Amino acid sequence: MYELQVEKMSCGHCVGAVTKAVQALDPQARVEVDLAGKTVKVETGVELARVRGAIEEAGYPVAA
């Protein structure tokens, strides 16, 4: 499981966009978003670099 610090998330739309971006890579991925903590937990077999890239392409910067 990956835990990422994701910036610019503030609403339900953001949660949906991040979830959709990850599940486009792996439809079976489990995604948990914590808006208050600005964290995203992802359980998937896809490598971390691809998950980060998908979230960033959706418009949400991932902190290092």
Side-chain angles (χ1 to χ4, degrees):
M1 177 177 290
Y2 306 125
E3 184 167 344
L4 306 168
Q5 192 72 31
V6 181
E7 303 299 320
K8 297 188 179 180
M9 297 187 305
S10 61
C11 64
H13 171 78
C14 301
V15 172
V18 168
T19 301
K20 184 177 177 182
V22 173
Q23 290 182 336
L25 296 174
D26 175 6
Q28 304 304 315
R30 207 178 95 215
V31 182
E32 295 177 27
V33 178
D34 175 5
L35 284 176
K38 298 206 180 297
T39 60
V40 177
K41 292 181 182 177
V42 180
E43 189 172 322
T44 181
V46 176
E47 59 197 41
L48 178 58
R50 291 183 63 208
V51 172
R52 286 178 63 116
I55 293 171
E56 289 181 341
E57 279 184 31
Y60 301 93
V62 178

